Amino acid sequence: EVQLVESGGGSVQVGGSLRLSCIASGFPFVDSDMGWHRHAPGNECELVAEIASDGRTYYSDSVKGRFTISRDNKKNTVILEMNSLKPEDTADYYCAAGATQCTMVAGRPTSTYGYWGQGTQITVSS
């Protein structure tokens, strides 16, 4: 059974930091591209950061320079370090494996391929 379990969400003030973790199981993690997507009400689902199986990274323009994605293949874990948080970072954050895009259906992210976690909420207040 494939599982992606996120942790680390919560509330923080503007300018603060949070660290999201995602522990994966049930598929070949070391061979998988891993990403973090987010969705806020009224917005489309957005890929914010991705780390390929070879370690290459991608960041959306909205988080570049503030967020850092990393992976630990020995622990099947992907981390998203978030700094200088802004109110517009408020969203539900989802860990995904092998999914480069997402669409919200019935309140859940979906994609043609890939696996998804349950999500963790982040609220940034001023």
Side-chain angles (χ1 to χ4, degrees):
E1 179 188 7
V2 171
Q3 284 193 318
L4 295 169
V5 180
E6 302 105 332
S7 62
S11 297
V12 65
Q13 291 190 325
V14 169
S17 300
L18 283 174
R19 183 175 187 264
L20 300 184
S21 297
C22 173
I23 300 176
S25 60
F27 64 96
F29 180 85
V30 67
D31 297 324
S32 300
D33 298 339
M34 300 297 298
W36 288 93
H37 303 244
R38 68 184 180 188
H39 176 252
N43 293 349
E44 295 185 353
C45 192
E46 173 191 15
L47 172 64
V48 296
E50 184 177 50
I51 184 164
S53 57
D54 63 3
R56 289 174 298 155
T57 57
Y58 160 85
Y59 298 95
S60 68
D61 288 342
S62 60
V63 307
K64 198 173 294 182
R66 300 188 297 121
F67 290 13
T68 302
I69 190 170
S70 61
R71 65 191 296 159
D72 184 338
N73 288 337
K74 293 182 179 179
K75 296 181 180 179
N76 280 16
T77 299
V78 60
I79 302 293
L80 186 67
E81 301 275 2
M82 303 180 292
N83 298 311
S84 303
L85 284 161
K86 305 175 180 179
E88 51 264 42
D89 294 319
T90 295
D92 292 324
Y93 283 71
Y94 298 92
C95 175
T100 57
Q101 51 82 31
C102 63
T103 302
M104 299 302 292
V105 176
R108 286 283 304 153
T110 63
S111 56
T112 303
Y113 303 101
Y115 306 113
W116 293 88
Q118 289 299 308
T120 185
Q121 189 174 54
I122 290 176
T123 302
V124 183
S125 57
S126 56

